Amino acid sequence: VAVGQYMSKQYRKTIVSARDVLRKNDRGGYTVPTDGLYPFQWNWDASFTALGWSTWKPERAWAELHMLFKGQWDDGMIPSIVFHQYDDRYFPGPDTWQSPKVDPPTTGITQPPVVASCARYILQVSQHGDEDVHLRGLRNAYTLFHPILRYHRWFYKARDHKKMGRVSIHHPWESGMDNSPSWDEALEHVSTDNLPNYQRKDLMHVDADERPTQTQYDRFMSLVFSFRDVNYDYAQCAQVSQFQVADTCVNALLLKANKDLAWICAKLISHHKRLSLSLEELEALKSAQRELRELIDLSSRGMDSLWNDELGMYSCYDERMDKLINVPTSSAFLALYARHPDRVRARQLADKLAHWLDQVKYGVPSYDPESPMFDSVRYWRGPVWLVVNWMIAEGLEAYEFFELAERVRRDSRALIKEAGSYEYFDPMTGEGCGGNCFSWTSAIQLFWFP
Ligand code: 9YW
């Protein structure tokens, strides 16, 4: 597909180079986040990356999601990484995880569930294309529908320990925000006493200043080994995990994902004739629609319990200590993306965000820039991440905070234009950090700035 003839030459160039990033990271049906540093398929990266592909190759977008589901476990979980091909440049790889899923091998933990939402956006875009593309979109969405629902059910079955609609993560990696300051205190309770020797590989690719510290990494690995010891059985993991935190990001994204899956479900029901669904298949969709409504209510209650009055925003919750974690991170704003808060809380969040933006050159910083521990280059302890920006801006628009949404969009565009397609960015200088030619950054660029 040719890049739009009405675009400026300069703009055409940026679109072409964003497409090139995805092409370069394409490994035949799935996309690696970046060559070298992350040589496999990651769960939430794949979902965002599919959005990028959908802007000019809808079939390739759906293929990305189908490849991700090759990693689905019998219990419904979609793991954080699917190791489609062996590559020894990353640690911990399949030999370390030794998870029961072997073909293809995967990790034994999950990541934020955005796949339903991305599938919804891809299907939504295809409604405006030609009939064929839309019908193929519906077929793809139908193939994925029940596996996605099984994934969502897994969260409530395996992770809603208190049965209150608030699901927990058992490892910081499951939040996708590995070294967020939200985990500092909870991680202190993770023992490293029996930690076997291991060798990190991330520092071969990027600067140590930008990465999680050794102490954090030791705790990350201790958790992995504790799950491996019980063969990743979800019931036993709930017993042995020394880290159990309800993450704002995961809970907000799960709520939004349930809403988006319900949207997909309604489309499938309305097009059941075109899809030639049997009566039984149609009934299964109708019953799923009812179930999704319940899950939406359940997760909405869970989100309510994450409101932190002291901070005036949502925050994470330490399930083992039974208390809210008083750490202000940008994941609080994802509640807007989930369309969850009422007008009063939405306004409080918007005011907070506006204040944060006043402290930095480019938003949205991942951590309160006025905190003494704010670190503008260290991964999830300050830097800007474009996928998060996109979700926040989406949420701001839904609540009619158009000026703020525009500011986030303008900053995001400027970051890519000035620094390039980096993994993340320094909010103070705009400098690109981490890996370059990064899939999810280019994908969001393609999807967000057409
Ligand atoms: C890791 C791939 C992943 C992202 C995570 C990010 C980082 C490192 O890179 O994780 O070893 O998994 O924190 O959100 O999915 O881009």
Side-chain angles (χ1 to χ4, degrees):
V1 179
V3 176
Q5 55 180 317
Y6 302 113
M7 289 171 186
S8 71
K9 207 166 157 199
Q10 174 60 30
Y11 198 59
R12 268 208 301 273
K13 248 175 83 186
T14 59
I15 297 283
V16 167
S17 68
R19 287 183 182 180
D20 279 348
V21 169
L22 296 199
R23 281 197 199 100
K24 182 170 163 275
N25 292 337
D26 187 3
R27 295 292 177 273
Y30 73 96
T31 317
V32 299
T34 185
D35 191 42
L37 180 62
Y38 301 134
F40 309 106
Q41 190 184 31
W42 262 255
N43 177 337
W44 75 331
D45 294 64
S47 311
F48 289 120
T49 302
L51 292 181
W53 283 113
S54 77
T55 59
W56 89 108
K57 280 179 184 267
E59 287 305 318
R60 180 60 188 77
W62 291 111
E64 187 77 36
L65 303 185
H66 293 307
M67 283 300 265
L68 178 65
F69 275 79
K70 287 196 175 185
Q72 185 163 34
W73 283 30
D74 290 343
D75 65 8
M77 183 183 75
I78 301 292
S80 58
I81 307 173
V82 185
F83 302 113
H84 293 289
Q85 284 169 52
Y86 190 77
D87 194 310
D88 64 4
R89 288 173 294 176
Y90 178 81
F91 178 87
D95 310 344
T96 307
W97 283 96
Q98 296 171 16
S99 85
K101 175 90 178 68
V102 286
D103 188 21
T106 69
T107 62
I109 57 171
T110 191
Q111 260 199 328
V114 285
V115 60
S117 303
C118 295
R120 178 222 165 123
Y121 288 108
I122 299 168
L123 184 60
Q124 202 167 351
V125 170
S126 79
Q127 292 184 131
H128 314 299
D130 67 56
E131 281 282 296
D132 259 21
V133 176
H134 185 214
L135 184 58
R136 281 203 298 273
L138 286 164
R139 289 207 176 105
N140 279 299
Y142 183 64
T143 310
L144 288 166
F145 179 81
H146 290 290
I148 298 181
L149 182 57
R150 290 208 303 119
Y151 179 35
H152 290 192
R153 281 185 193 137
W154 173 84
F155 274 101
Y156 301 96
K157 174 178 66 180
R159 300 304 183 78
D160 185 6
H161 302 312
K162 295 180 181 155
K163 298 290 163 226
M164 56 183 293
R166 189 173 71 202
V167 302
S168 54
I169 53 169
H170 286 171
H171 195 296
W173 283 336
E174 293 196 306
S175 69
M177 304 185 180
D178 313 0
N179 63 340
S180 161
S182 297
W183 321 138
D184 289 0
E185 201 187 328
L187 273 178
E188 276 173 27
H189 302 287
V190 176
S191 152
T192 52
D193 287 352
N194 300 315
L195 181 64
N197 274 337
Y198 71 94
Q199 188 70 49
R200 282 174 79 161
K201 289 191 180 159
D202 54 333
L203 302 179
M204 287 161 30
H205 306 280
V206 280
D207 211 344
D209 289 351
E210 298 178 357
R211 299 290 298 177
T213 63
Q214 193 54 43
T215 316
Q216 277 162 346
Y217 230 87
D218 284 350
R219 296 198 163 128
F220 293 169
M221 290 315 298
S222 293
L223 286 166
V224 170
F225 292 125
S226 76
F227 307 145
R228 193 174 80 177
D229 287 347
V230 297
N231 203 25
Y232 303 95
D233 171 74
Y234 73 82
Q236 288 192 65
C237 284
Q239 302 297 319
V240 301
S241 181
Q242 299 176 65
F243 179 93
Q244 296 191 12
V245 168
D247 171 28
T248 341
C249 168
V250 167
N251 280 278
L253 267 41
L254 181 59
L255 172 57
K256 175 75 159 79
N258 281 320
K259 293 180 179 179
D260 291 330
L261 198 57
W263 184 95
I264 292 176
C265 192
K267 292 286 165 191
L268 296 174
I269 291 172
S270 114
H271 291 279
H272 71 96
K273 286 206 179 108
R274 285 178 76 199
L275 286 166
S276 317
L277 298 186
S278 69
L279 217 62
E280 237 181 357
E281 287 168 322
L282 180 61
E283 278 313 311
L285 285 177
K286 287 184 180 163
S287 130
Q289 187 69 295
R290 288 189 291 275
E291 180 180 349
L292 283 164
R293 241 175 255 138
E294 279 164 27
L295 295 183
I296 291 167
D297 289 346
L298 191 62
S299 274
S300 301
R301 287 200 294 279
M303 273 308 285
D304 281 338
S305 72
L306 294 179
W307 179 260
N308 186 323
D309 257 329
E310 211 170 304
L311 297 179
M313 62 201 299
Y314 293 89
S315 78
C316 301
Y317 194 96
D318 188 328
E319 298 291 359
R320 297 185 86 226
M321 304 300 285
D322 215 358
K323 61 168 193 186
L324 281 164
I325 298 172
N326 275 340
V327 175
T329 68
S330 65
S331 56
F333 306 122
L334 295 174
L336 297 167
Y337 167 74
R339 281 57 165 173
H340 176 67
D342 61 20
R343 307 294 306 178
V344 176
R345 284 187 178 167
R347 161 63 60 194
Q348 265 177 284
L349 288 173
D351 289 347
K352 178 78 73 185
L353 176 60
H355 181 71
W356 282 24
L357 293 178
D358 287 343
Q359 323 299 315
V360 295
K361 196 163 167 205
Y362 301 92
V364 176
S366 42
Y367 182 32
D368 182 354
E370 287 181 319
S371 157
M373 280 176 351
F374 171 82
D375 182 336
S376 69
V377 295
R378 202 181 278 278
Y379 233 44
W380 293 95
R381 303 178 79 88
V384 180
W385 295 74
L386 267 259
V387 290
V388 178
N389 276 13
W390 170 67
M391 290 187 284
I392 293 175
E394 252 277 293
L396 290 168
E397 288 223 352
Y399 283 84
E400 294 103 30
F401 296 114
F402 297 121
E403 273 180 56
L404 263 183
E406 199 43 38
R407 159 90 203 260
V408 174
R409 187 183 146 97
R410 205 177 54 231
D411 285 6
S412 305
R413 246 184 125 126
L415 284 169
I416 294 193
K417 192 162 169 236
E418 286 156 32
S421 186
Y422 273 89
E423 185 177 4
Y424 57 94
F425 304 86
D426 182 332
M428 297 309 188
T429 62
E431 198 191 325
C433 310
N436 194 358
C437 294
F438 217 86
S439 296
W440 70 7
T441 307
S442 289
I444 283 299
Q445 176 188 2
L446 288 166
F447 190 73
W448 198 8
F449 314 130

